[in-house]
Structure formats: C-alpha cells, structure tokens
C-alpha cells in the first residue's frame, strides 16, 4: 500500500456509510427500504435556474476559468440578498467569496484559521464535517455543548477556562442540522461577545437560513454590531433551491477571514463553473417564491411525520426551520439501538443522534426528503414498530 497520511488514516469511520451498507444488504434481500437519513432535498431545482444555466453554457466566454473569488454577478447577488433580507451592506470585492458549496468553504476556512495543535469549539450535536475538517487541519476539536433545555443554545458557561484560552475558532449553525433548532439574535449577541472576548474567529453556518416556517425569519449573525470584527457566515444554495449537486455557496463577513480563505482557495481551486455561478445569481435575485413552494411541501411532510411520531409516544415541538425532525428515542433505547430496530422491523432508515456528537445520544434525526406517499408509508411502518423488544 502506498503511504497515506496520519490525518487521513486516523479519521473516524463515517457513521452514515455503515447505514448505507445495511441498506444495500436489506435491499439485496428484497426489502423496500425508505431512507429518511439523507440530508438533502429530493425536489428538483426550479426551472428558471436551469434555464439560466442552459443559456450561459452556450456562451464560449463562460468556458474559461472564473475569477478566484467568483464572478462579480454572483458576489453582487449575495450582496443583494443580504441587503434585502438583513439590511446589511456588504462589499462584493472584500466581504464576499463564491464557494464550490459551503462544505468546501467551511473546511478550507478552518485550515485558513487554525495552526496545527490549535483548538476549535464545535457544536455538539453538530454537522460531522466540522470535526473532520478540524482534524484534517491538524487542530483539536472541543465540543461546545448545546443545551436541549434551552432550545440548543450554546452553553458558554461550561466551556473550561483552558479551552477558552486555547481556542482560535468557534462554529455555530442555526437553523441547525441535526437539531432543527433556530437562534434568535440574543444567541448571536452572546456568541459574538464570547468570540470577541477570547479573540476567536466565529464561523456561522447558515445553510438553512431560508428554509423556515410559519413566518419565522432566521437572523444573520452579521446583524450583531461588531460582528464584522470576528464573524464569517456561510450560505448555500443547496438546500434553499434544491441545488446540492450544483456545488454553489458563499462566505460573507470579516475581510481578513475572507481574504485568508480566498488565499487558501486560490492555491487549491479556481472557483465554480461560470454558468453555475450565474444561475446561482439568478436564484438569489429571484423573489424566492420557489423557496416558498418548497417550504409548503416540507410543512405538509412535517405534519405527517410529527403526528405519526406522536402516535408512538414521541412528542416533538414543530421546528421553525430546516427539513429535519430531531426527536428523543423511546424509553429504553440507545440511539443506535432504536435506529437499528426501525431499520430491521420497518425498513426505514433514520439517523442515530450520536452520529452528530456525544450529546446526540438519546435522539434520532428524520430527514423529510422523500415524497408524501413514501413518508406516509414510513410513518405507518414506524407506528407498527413495537417499543421494547430488541433493546441495546
Ligand atoms: C448540507 C449542509 C452543508 C453543505 O452544503 P453545501 O453548500 O452543499 O456544501 C453545510 N452545513 C450544513 C449544516 C449542512 O446541512
């Protein structure tokens, strides 16, 4: 075997791939598996975005390398989005960067901020990429516990003094994957103050900022006065416009952090294909009625699943954002034990909460990314799963 770096070979196994293997095994046995584990929309990209892509692909001038920071039209569209939604004025040249998806941007930003051995505070439970990206940067991840009693607000009081002093970076994510928790401005206020006090770079992952329900509008961390000193916010078109495969997102905020990420990226990639950026700009300049249509669909799906869960004794408050349901496992189960039982007895994949960090133990995540009939079927099958039985 050729040499492989310690950073790669010491990465913990990806829990999701274990479930995908079980899914394949069951399907090979003829089981009709319904996968509620996939954290990506099943809905198509709105046609006005596709139309713009197709037009732009035909133009030879669009076949060349993009500027490293992304094309001006895309960065201006991001500025427009922040102006319109948050009344925040951003400079497209120094405060906005196009990304090949926000996952890329977050991972590279972590490497652009941390030195090997540095500490990063990452949310627990949280999106697993944060921990692996810190690991790949040679950094040390410390969990920032989110308090389920306080709607998954960061528990800053219990961050040990040593960790505060050592940390160079902090990551937050609202509306949250996996908990579906949302933040009001006071959470960002407290977080920015903490970041300022300990001079941390604060990364806010806002991948679900436009997927919110019932008139709730997710705030931006950049709305906090002084946020421009510490904060960079990551946005994505993936979940908002059903564009996961297109790979288009953005980073906005602190000029020094944006510049550092831009330097990292200009030595690693050459931004996204221009027609994709232009189609992304089209999406951000739109009236977001396509997003409203998505939300209506998720809302209906959410109602079906919340009711089914209620019938099996799992009560969950309706989330204000994301297409996830985060729920406690029935009494007597571990997260993995319950996920296994639901897969074996109902043929339904749910994600065990501990896949998102130690504090996720005792919970599971359902993704509402299957069509209504399949979701109803999954809900009915889950209702038939007897509590108790093969506990683990
Ligand atoms: C899906 C997701 C992302 C990644 O989105 P891309 O822009 O497609 O890379 C980032 N953060 C969270 C929390 C996500 O769920």
């Amino acid at each position: 075997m050729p040499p492989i770096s310690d950073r790669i070979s010491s990465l913990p196994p990806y829990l999701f791939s274990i479930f995908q293997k079980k899914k394949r095994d069951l399907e090979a046995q003829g089981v009709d598996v319904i996968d509620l584990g996939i954290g990506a929309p099943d809905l198509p990209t709105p046609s006005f975005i596709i139309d713009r892509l197709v037009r732009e692909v035909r133009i030879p001038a669009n076949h060349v390398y993009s500027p490293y920071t992304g094309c001006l039209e895309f960065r201006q569209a991001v500025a427009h989005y922040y102006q319109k939604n948050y009344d925040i004025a951003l400079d497209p040249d120094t405060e906005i960067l196009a990304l090949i998806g926000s996952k890329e941007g977050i991972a590279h930003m972590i490497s652009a901020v941390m030195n090997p051995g540095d500490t990063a505070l990452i949310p627990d439970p949280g999106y697993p990429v944060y921990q692996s990206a810190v690991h790949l940067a040679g950094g040390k991840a410390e969990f920032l516990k989110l308090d389920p009693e306080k709607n998954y607000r960061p528990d800053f009081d219990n961050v040990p003094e040593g960790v505060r002093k050592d940390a160079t970076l902090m990551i937050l994510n609202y509306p949250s994957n996996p908990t579906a928790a949302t933040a009001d401005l006071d959470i960002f206020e407290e977080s920015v103050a903490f970041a300022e006090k300990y001079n941390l770079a604060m990364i806010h992952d806002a991948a679900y900022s436009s997927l919110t329900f019932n008139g709730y509008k997710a705030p931006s961390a950049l709305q906090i006065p002084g946020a421009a000193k510490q904060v960079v916010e990551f946005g994505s078109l993936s979940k908002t416009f059903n564009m996961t495969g297109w790979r288009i997102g953005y980073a906005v905020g602190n000029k020094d952090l944006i510049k550092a990420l831009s330097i990292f990226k200009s030595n690693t990639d050459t931004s996204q294909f221009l027609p994709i950026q232009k189609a992304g700009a089209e999406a951000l300049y739109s009236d977001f009625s396509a997003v409203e249509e998505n939300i209506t669909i998720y809302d209906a799906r959410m109602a079906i699943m919340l009711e089914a869960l209620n019938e099996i004794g799992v009560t969950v408050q309706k989330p204000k954002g994301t297409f996830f349901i985060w729920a406690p496992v029935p009494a007597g189960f571990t997260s993995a034990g319950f996920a296994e039982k639901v897969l074996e007895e109902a043929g339904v994949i749910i994600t065990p909460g501990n896949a998102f960090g130690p504090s996720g133990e005792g919970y599971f995540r359902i993704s509402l990314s299957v069509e209504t009939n399949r979701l109803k079927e999954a809900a009915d099958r889950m209702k038939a799963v007897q509590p108790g039985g093969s506990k683990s």
Side-chain angles (χ1 to χ4, degrees):
M1 192 168 129
I4 302 291
S5 77
D6 294 344
R7 280 180 196 174
I8 294 294
S9 43
S10 62
L11 268 176
Y14 202 49
L15 246 163
F16 294 88
S17 54
I18 299 167
F19 268 81
Q20 290 308 313
K21 163 135 188 22
K22 278 194 182 165
K23 178 184 176 180
R24 283 195 304 275
D25 292 348
L26 283 170
E27 279 174 342
Q29 294 165 33
V31 178
D32 169 31
V33 178
I34 303 176
D35 194 344
L36 306 182
I38 299 173
D42 60 310
L43 303 165
T45 304
S47 55
F48 74 93
I49 302 173
I50 296 171
D51 291 344
R52 178 75 194 272
L53 174 80
V54 170
R55 283 204 306 279
E56 298 295 339
V57 166
R58 296 253 170 234
I59 301 171
N62 285 336
H63 301 168
V64 301
Y65 286 127
S66 161
Y68 288 118
T69 56
C71 72
L72 184 60
E73 184 185 349
F74 180 76
R75 285 179 282 118
Q76 282 173 335
V78 176
H80 166 83
Y81 174 80
Y82 269 81
Q83 188 71 62
K84 189 176 97 183
N85 285 285
Y86 304 115
D87 201 20
I88 292 173
L90 295 170
D91 176 358
D93 287 329
T94 57
E95 295 176 306
I96 302 176
L97 196 58
L99 303 172
I100 308 173
S102 61
K103 183 184 190 176
E104 171 267 299
I106 292 166
H108 287 148
M109 179 60 96
I110 289 169
S111 274
V113 168
M114 299 184 81
N115 286 312
D118 282 355
T119 297
L121 275 169
I122 62 166
D124 174 28
Y127 182 53
V129 166
Y130 308 144
Q131 189 174 4
S132 35
V134 169
H135 176 89
L136 290 174
K140 196 167 147 243
E142 292 281 352
F143 290 121
L144 174 60
K145 291 235 184 308
L146 306 178
D147 186 350
E149 301 299 316
K150 292 183 183 156
N151 195 26
Y152 290 97
R153 194 186 178 100
D155 183 6
F156 290 116
D157 291 345
N158 285 314
V159 177
E161 201 55 38
V163 173
R164 293 169 192 233
K165 298 246 160 71
D166 289 349
T168 51
L169 176 79
M170 169 170 78
I171 306 177
L172 294 177
N173 164 227
Y174 295 100
S176 153
N177 174 11
T179 68
T182 50
D184 289 324
L185 275 176
D186 63 322
I187 292 189
F188 290 142
E189 210 168 340
E190 189 185 7
S191 307
V192 170
F194 186 88
E196 211 170 322
K197 182 165 178 199
Y198 296 99
N199 194 27
L200 310 179
M202 175 172 150
I203 289 178
H204 180 233
D205 178 356
Y208 297 89
S209 58
S210 292
L211 284 184
T212 55
F213 300 106
N214 301 112
Y216 170 78
K217 233 172 106 26
S220 160
L222 296 177
Q223 285 172 270
I224 305 302
K229 280 192 279 182
Q230 318 282 148
V231 180
V232 65
E233 193 159 71
F234 287 81
S236 171
L237 281 76
S238 290
K239 318 295 164 54
T240 312
F241 290 101
N242 310 326
M243 292 174 73
T244 50
W246 295 57
R247 313 310 302 132
I248 183 81
Y250 49 85
V252 300
N254 178 268
K255 289 187 173 80
D256 300 313
L257 292 171
I258 293 288
K259 188 166 179 200
L261 177 56
S262 172
I263 291 169
F264 194 108
K265 279 174 60 58
S266 65
N267 286 285
T268 309
D269 63 63
T270 313
S271 197
Q272 182 51 279
F273 186 40
L274 286 165
I276 292 180
Q277 294 187 52
K278 290 176 186 223
E282 190 80 26
L284 290 171
Y285 277 123
S286 75
D287 62 6
F288 278 58
S289 55
V291 184
E292 280 307 314
E293 286 169 31
N294 276 351
I295 288 171
T296 307
I297 292 168
Y298 292 134
D299 207 22
R301 292 177 181 179
M302 186 85 74
I304 291 169
M305 193 42 85
L306 288 179
E307 196 190 309
L309 290 176
N310 201 26
E311 284 178 41
I312 58 170
V314 176
T315 356
V316 190
Q317 281 255 318
K318 186 182 169 191
K320 286 193 271 187
T322 78
F323 44 66
F324 299 117
I325 292 173
W326 178 251
V329 296
F333 283 102
T334 62
S335 289
F338 185 62
E340 221 172 291
K341 187 177 169 87
V342 170
L343 180 55
E344 273 159 20
E345 290 183 18
V348 174
I349 295 188
I350 59 175
T351 311
N354 60 321
F356 303 99
S359 299
E361 181 51 52
Y363 292 85
F364 63 98
R365 189 194 74 177
I366 282 176
S367 174
L368 298 168
S369 48
V370 300
E371 48 131 349
T372 314
N373 285 341
R374 291 291 277 168
L375 197 70
K376 279 188 180 145
E377 165 78 20
D380 286 340
R381 289 197 213 162
M382 283 175 71
K383 281 188 243 173
V385 173
Q386 292 303 310
S390 67
K391 296 184 187 187
S392 60

